[in-house]
Amino acid sequence: MQLRKLIPALIPALALSLVGVTPAHAEEEYRRGPAPTTSSIEAVRGPFSTSSTTVSSLVTGFGGGTIYYPTSTSEGTFGAVAISPGFTGTESTISWLGPRIASQGFVVITIATNSLYDQPDSRASQLLAALDYLTQRSDVRSRIDASRLGVMGHSMGGGGTLRASEERPSLQAAIPLTAWHTDKTWGSNRVPTLVVGAEDDTVAPVSSHSIPFYNSLPSTLDKAYLELNGASHFAPNSSNTTIAKYSIAWLKRFIDNDTRYEQFLCPSPANSSLISDYRDTCPHGV
Ligand code: 9J3
Ligand code: ZN
């Protein structure tokens, strides 16, 4: 073909390549709060003032709980997260995460379970019931964007987090914390998942829980494995800056699509006195 005929033939391809400058998977961002820094995501409290309100144990579907929410309405609605404790764990065992995450710009419900002995799949149902309560019936429902929700949980609550994600793929983020579940096959999950393991966990050893969970999630999924150096099964039961920092980054990156937080996730954090292993599918969102 002559060049003067080839050039017009190339124009559509050139135009498409220019359109292609916009990432094919660009998603709407829901930025809330100022640009983050390492110190802002490590802080005990983030930029939003928060309030809380309790949910009666007589509610249907879960054992009640506490809602923590940013008091500001000037930036519109927020994404929301439900958090479950583990086997024999009261709500108080995960309470520290409520105001810590809410103060970064999320509505958070920390739940009590119907029974202290509920198994992981029951905790999954209860996490989803808590999200439905939050978005449909709670006093703060008008503050929430019901299409941008996530789940977290400790131990059997982490197992419930994996199951809730499997059951409700419309969730935007999941964070199982030193999770425990008999099921090690999560290949049908489609929710971006940060698996947090503790190196010295003897209740849910990473070799038989968190690492198999992470490995079984699809290789095409946005996923990461954060292993807390020298930590026990109960690390998620008290204030822990490494858990908070990476959880906040994950929730912001995937519930808010806020790419300002990608810097904390990719490239992968190096091993350190706090992190004994970190695996991921960086870069995220492609
Ligand atoms: O929620 C958990 O702490 C699960 C670990 C556990 O106690 O398993 C024993 C059946
Ligand atoms: Zn170590």
Side-chain angles (χ1 to χ4, degrees), residues 63-97:
T66 309
I67 300 169
Y68 301 88
Y69 61 97
T71 53
S72 168
T73 55
S74 65
E75 291 187 63
T77 54
F78 294 99
V81 185
I83 310 178
S84 168
F87 189 66
T88 74
T90 60
E91 182 192 352
S92 68
T93 63
I94 42 95
S95 288
W96 70 275
L97 287 160

Side-chain angles (χ1 to χ4, degrees), residues 4-262:
R4 70 174 182 276
K5 287 184 181 170
L6 184 58
I7 288 171
L10 285 173
I11 286 174
L14 179 63
L16 277 174
S17 74
L18 288 172
V19 168
V21 168
T22 302
H25 298 275
E27 293 179 273
E28 184 176 354
E29 289 191 83
Y30 300 89
R31 295 183 174 193
R32 299 290 182 271
T37 62
T38 295
S39 62
S40 78
I41 64 169
E42 290 182 346
V44 173
R45 291 293 177 266
F48 292 91
S49 296
T50 64
S51 296
S52 66
T53 180
T54 58
V55 179
S56 167
S57 62
L58 302 176
V59 73
T60 300
F62 62 107
T66 309
I67 300 169
Y68 301 88
Y69 61 97
T71 53
S72 168
T73 55
S74 65
E75 291 187 63
T77 54
F78 294 99
V81 185
I83 310 178
S84 168
F87 189 66
T88 74
T90 60
E91 182 192 352
S92 68
T93 63
I94 42 95
S95 288
W96 70 275
L97 287 160
R100 188 128 176 185
I101 292 172
S103 69
Q104 297 283 346
F106 296 97
V107 177
V108 180
I109 183 167
T110 55
I111 68 166
T113 45
N114 291 323
S115 149
L116 294 177
Y117 311 103
D118 290 332
Q119 295 297 298
D121 292 354
S122 170
R123 291 169 196 266
S125 307
Q126 295 182 57
L127 282 165
L128 296 176
L131 288 175
D132 292 342
Y133 175 85
L134 205 53
T135 58
Q136 295 166 19
R137 295 184 293 285
S138 77
D139 293 342
V140 301
R141 61 189 183 277
S142 66
R143 296 172 182 267
I144 300 170
D145 180 348
S147 71
R148 300 189 295 108
L149 306 175
V151 284
M152 298 177 66
H154 174 235
S155 197
M156 286 194 190
T161 295
L162 290 163
R163 184 69 77 206
S165 303
E166 182 180 64
E167 292 178 346
R168 193 176 288 184
S170 61
L171 294 175
Q172 301 291 296
I175 310 180
L177 303 169
T178 64
W180 189 99
H181 205 297
T182 54
D183 190 347
K184 317 297 180 185
T185 58
W186 301 97
S188 65
N189 285 34
R190 296 293 180 267
V191 179
T193 302
L194 169 61
V195 176
V196 178
E199 185 186 25
D200 296 343
D201 190 334
T202 57
V203 179
V206 293
S207 60
S208 54
H209 291 270
S210 287
I211 291 173
F213 298 155
Y214 174 79
N215 285 337
S216 77
L217 290 164
S219 58
T220 50
L221 188 67
D222 286 307
K223 63 174 181 174
Y225 171 61
L226 164 64
E227 188 181 273
L228 306 169
N229 189 19
S232 84
H233 184 62
F234 303 101
N237 294 143
S238 53
S239 298
N240 182 303
T241 294
T242 309
I243 293 174
K245 173 183 183 177
Y246 291 99
S247 294
I248 290 159
W250 197 262
L251 298 172
K252 287 283 194 177
R253 178 64 186 80
F254 294 106
I255 290 183
D256 292 357
N257 296 327
D258 189 337
T259 54
R260 297 177 300 177
Y261 289 81
E262 177 87 351

Side-chain angles (χ1 to χ4, degrees), residues 260-271:
R260 297 177 300 177
Y261 289 81
E262 177 87 351
Q263 61 180 309
F264 306 110
L265 302 171
C266 303
S268 322
N271 288 356

